[in-house]
């Protein structure tokens, strides 16, 4: 058996220890005689699995008691509609910060439901930076402010949390959640599709302040209503049981690594090594302003794009896979989420250096 270093942006690598544990528990979970996949979501075995996952996430992220956690289906993309449906209340407009492809999608969807005030837009610079706090043109009467702390495609990450006064701050943390400690109390709502840094696809986690529940517009489908999910412990209907279980194993793994502080230290080192290899090479390039570079998604181009295919082929021979950049950006992208071991980044850096050396004239 060979496990490659998989740099996929999502679904992404999971820790090998987690997959092994799932394998051990696959046929018979803790003497229950069932796979987790076969359990009733209302049975005591599954309730214990779900409850522990939730409790562990609360501990890892230090989520205050007045926040609910929802384990939903429909991916992060469903949230693009659920947010305005649930949070507008009697307001008619919301602020959105546009820093890339995912912000744009959130904006396009919100426009079906409300007036969108684009509080800042970095498209002119090709989404290679984030706006400063001073550049945000916020509407004090907005229902909420939405932003994308880490743009997975452009590899651009906020180095600060926007200050929005009394207006609730909503963050799409799909590709940065759990990468380091954050202060949850600064946010009204955090959401993340699982398949980047939490677990398998099929699950989306929403962390929401309780006072924001119960304001959904009358037409909101029950399945899109946060309050209904909150009141039912995310079991209004059948939740994505296996993905939720796997997320729980990932949370245990994070605790065993030393929690988010330890993850942040490892992730900071991994990103620094990779960016240094790019910047020092004279052969690779990353267009993002240094202080706004993503810790999780590192796009880079080769000095000669004709070599892209050769680069990818040679990388795969070294066990370094899924490095091809997003179709809208081209070049390469290395996603280095929590589950990517530091040795994976070291191996990529070594390969990049040797590849560049062989191309030098
Ligand atoms: C991947 C991603 C999404 C979309 O997630 P789905 O679960 O596929 O809907 C949204 N936002 C960000 C920042 C992402 O990285």
């Amino acid at each position: 058996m060979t496990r490659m270093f998989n740099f996929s942006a999502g679904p992404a690598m999971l820790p090998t220890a987690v997959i092994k544990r799932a394998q051990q528990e696959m046929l018979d979970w803790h003497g229950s005689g069932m796979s987790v996949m076969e359990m009733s979501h209302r049975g005591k075995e599954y309730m214990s699995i779900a409850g522990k996952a939730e409790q562990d996430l609360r501990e890892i992220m230090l989520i205050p008691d007045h926040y609910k956690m929802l384990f939903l289906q429909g991916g992060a993309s469903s949230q693009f509609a659920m947010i305005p449906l649930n949070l507008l209340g009697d307001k008619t407009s919301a602020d959105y910060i546009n820093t890339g492809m995912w912000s744009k999608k959130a904006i396009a969807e919100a426009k079906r439901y409300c007036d969108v005030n684009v509080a800042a837009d970095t498209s002119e610079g090709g989404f290679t930076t984030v706006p400063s706090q001073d550049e945000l043109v916020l509407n004090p009467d907005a229902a909420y402010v939405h932003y994308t702390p880490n743009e997975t495609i452009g590899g651009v990450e906020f180095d600060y949390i926007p200050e929005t006064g009394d207006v609730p701050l909503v963050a799409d943390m799909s590709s940065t959640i759990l990468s380091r400690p954050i202060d949850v109390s600064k946010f009204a709502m955090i959401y993340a599709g699982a398949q980047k840094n939490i677990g398998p696809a099929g699950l989306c986690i929403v962390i929401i302040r309780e006072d924001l529940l119960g304001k959904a517009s009358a037409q909101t489908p029950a399945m899109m209503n946060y309050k209904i999910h909150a009141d039912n412990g995310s079991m209004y209907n059948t939740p994505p049981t296996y993905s939720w279980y796997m997320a729980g194993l990932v949370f245990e793994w994070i605790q065993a690594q030393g929690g988010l502080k330890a993850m942040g230290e490892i992730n900071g080192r991994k990103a620094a090594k990779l960016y240094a290899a790019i910047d020092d090479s004279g052969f690779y390039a990353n267009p993002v302003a240094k202080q706004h570079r993503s810790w999780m998604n590192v796009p880079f181009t080769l000095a000669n794009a004709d070599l892209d295919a050769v680069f990818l082929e040679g990388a795969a021979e070294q066990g370094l896979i899924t490095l091809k950049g997003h179709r809208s950006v081209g070049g390469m992208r290395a996603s280095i989420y929590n589950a990517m071991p530091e040795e994976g980044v070291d191996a990529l850096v070594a390969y990049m250096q040797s590849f560049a050396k062989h191309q030098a004239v």
Side-chain angles (χ1 to χ4, degrees):
M1 185 202 69
T2 315
R3 297 257 308 153
M4 306 253 181
F5 291 122
N6 176 5
F7 294 90
S8 171
M13 267 183 105
L14 286 165
T16 300
V18 165
I19 298 186
K20 277 198 176 141
R21 167 101 181 264
Q23 182 184 40
Q24 282 160 10
E25 298 179 347
M26 177 68 75
L27 292 176
D28 175 7
W29 184 83
H30 296 204
S32 66
M34 292 180 274
S35 171
V36 174
M37 279 179 261
E38 303 167 310
M39 288 176 180
S40 162
H41 57 297
R42 304 196 193 279
K44 69 174 187 329
E45 292 91 352
Y46 191 76
M47 293 294 273
S48 76
I49 291 169
K52 181 162 194 317
E54 193 172 326
Q55 190 51 39
D56 287 349
L57 181 61
R58 198 178 279 283
E59 279 171 24
I60 293 170
M61 290 183 70
L62 301 173
I63 300 171
D65 287 344
H66 61 293
Y67 286 75
K68 292 275 191 209
M69 280 171 279
L70 311 178
F71 291 74
L72 306 178
Q73 305 190 43
S77 300
S78 292
Q79 301 310 314
F80 297 163
M82 288 168 79
I83 289 162
L85 279 168
N86 283 272
L87 302 189
L88 279 170
D90 51 14
K91 308 245 178 184
T92 53
S93 86
D95 287 351
Y96 278 73
I97 304 175
N98 183 14
T99 51
M101 303 285 279
W102 289 114
S103 307
K104 270 166 72 174
K105 284 202 164 174
I107 290 168
E109 191 74 349
K111 280 184 174 165
R112 299 169 185 272
Y113 304 99
C114 62
D115 297 329
V116 170
N117 168 46
V118 177
D121 184 329
T122 56
S123 57
E124 212 159 283
F127 293 128
T128 52
T129 180
V130 307
S132 67
Q133 177 73 45
D134 292 347
E135 287 167 327
L136 303 179
V137 184
L138 298 172
N139 167 12
D141 204 36
Y144 57 87
V145 179
H146 178 281
Y147 83 119
T148 311
N150 184 65
E151 286 282 356
T152 320
I153 294 172
V156 181
E157 184 155 11
F158 276 76
D159 57 344
Y160 72 101
I161 299 172
E163 187 53 63
T164 60
D166 290 336
V167 180
L169 180 62
V170 177
D172 175 359
M173 288 202 190
S174 293
S175 51
T176 186
I177 193 166
L178 302 177
S179 64
R180 79 204 83 166
I182 54 148
D183 181 354
V184 174
S185 72
K186 293 258 198 308
F187 300 88
M189 175 180 152
I190 290 168
Y191 65 102
Q195 67 275 17
K196 278 75 184 244
N197 226 0
I198 296 175
L203 170 70
C204 178
I205 293 184
V206 170
I207 301 164
I208 183 166
R209 227 172 50 207
E210 275 170 355
D211 61 280
L212 294 166
L213 298 170
K215 297 196 298 182
S217 78
Q219 313 92 309
T220 308
M223 279 297 292
M224 303 194 87
N225 188 318
Y226 293 141
K227 182 158 195 317
I228 289 180
H229 287 295
D231 288 348
N232 289 279
S234 304
M235 298 210 186
Y236 171 71
N237 75 323
T238 316
T241 51
Y242 200 76
S243 295
W244 188 338
Y245 154 76
M246 288 291 288
L249 297 187
V250 170
F251 300 152
E252 286 183 27
W253 176 83
I254 290 174
Q255 283 170 326
Q257 308 307 300
L260 294 190
K261 188 162 173 292
M263 293 312 319
E265 282 160 13
I266 300 166
N267 287 327
R269 270 204 311 273
K270 280 154 53 182
K273 281 182 185 177
L274 188 45
Y275 286 114
I278 292 167
D279 292 340
D280 297 347
S281 68
F283 181 78
Y284 305 102
N286 169 286
V288 180
K290 283 208 168 98
Q291 84 202 80
H292 302 141
R293 284 171 163 182
S294 169
W295 281 26
M296 294 283 106
N297 311 97
V298 183
F300 61 92
T301 50
L302 277 53
N304 175 1
D306 293 343
L307 295 171
D308 283 3
V310 190
F311 178 91
L312 288 167
E313 206 175 302
E317 280 165 19
Q318 305 292 317
L320 309 166
I321 59 170
T322 335
L323 282 161
K324 195 171 173 11
H326 189 269
R327 58 191 183 280
S328 67
V329 176
M332 308 297 150
R333 174 174 50 167
S335 293
I336 50 175
Y337 301 115
N338 287 352
M340 173 59 66
E342 199 162 350
E343 307 88 76
V345 173
D346 291 341
L348 174 60
V349 165
Y351 170 69
M352 287 168 68
Q353 287 169 342
S354 116
F355 185 88
K357 203 162 92 194
H358 285 96
Q359 303 309 324
V361 260

